[in-house]
Amino acid sequence: MATAYDRDNIFAKILRGEIPCDRVYEDDHVLAFRDINPQAPVHVLVIPKGEYVSMDDFAESAGDAEIAAFVRAVGRVARELGLQDPGYRILANHGADSHQEVPHLHVHIFGGRPLGPMLVRT
Ligand code: 5GP
């Protein structure tokens, strides 16, 4: 069964304007802002404005306009940050094995330096 959306999660508070963020992009469906604890010189989070726990939830339940806006925003933000030529990485965590911390869908955009291997083997 799908996890219920928690309206007290930190990104819901950012979307309601209760907590500030360093915004880099916004449209009717999407907000993008810098991560508070950056893991690379550029580390931006792109989130849908709708209430979706993760990509699993979003892919299943979001409307086509929301999905199109979200995918286009990820590409647009990376391009506008000048990342498409040196390259960048996008990442979205879902659930416990991925260590997803915030239960509102977010895509991380990392860039600004060589990013190393995709995953560290443990
Ligand atoms: P996750 O592990 O869920 O994929 O990533 C959550 C991300 O949200 C982390 O990279 C973390 O630094 C970031 N984050 C957590 N709280 C805040 C906040 O209040 N503001 C911003 N801008 N980022 C946050």
Side-chain angles (χ1 to χ4, degrees):
M1 194 172 123
T3 308
Y5 184 81
D6 171 13
R7 291 191 169 151
D8 286 331
N9 82 74
I10 200 92
F11 294 169
K13 291 178 180 176
I14 286 174
L15 283 168
R16 291 195 296 267
E18 295 166 11
I19 291 176
C21 71
D22 185 358
R23 183 176 56 196
V24 299
Y25 176 77
E26 182 167 13
D27 64 28
D28 287 348
H29 295 293
V30 181
L31 178 67
F33 51 94
R34 294 187 191 275
D35 197 288
I36 204 168
N37 183 24
Q39 310 283 322
V42 178
H43 183 175
V44 167
L45 302 170
V46 185
I47 71 173
K49 290 186 172 176
E51 296 181 344
Y52 302 102
V53 173
S54 73
M55 188 62 81
D56 177 69
D57 186 15
F58 189 65
E60 184 74 14
S61 306
D64 290 354
E66 291 174 288
I67 292 172
F70 189 68
V71 174
R72 287 198 190 282
V74 171
R76 177 174 173 170
V77 167
R79 208 178 315 118
E80 289 182 354
L81 290 168
L83 298 176
Q84 104 254 37
D85 185 18
Y88 59 94
R89 179 171 294 156
I90 61 175
L91 180 151
N93 290 317
H94 165 77
D97 272 5
S98 75
H99 293 204
Q100 181 182 6
E101 287 174 15
V102 180
H104 182 113
L105 171 61
H106 48 286
V107 164
H108 299 254
I109 302 176
F110 301 104
R113 66 166 167 79
L115 294 165
M118 191 160 60
L119 290 176
V120 175
R121 291 179 197 273
T122 54

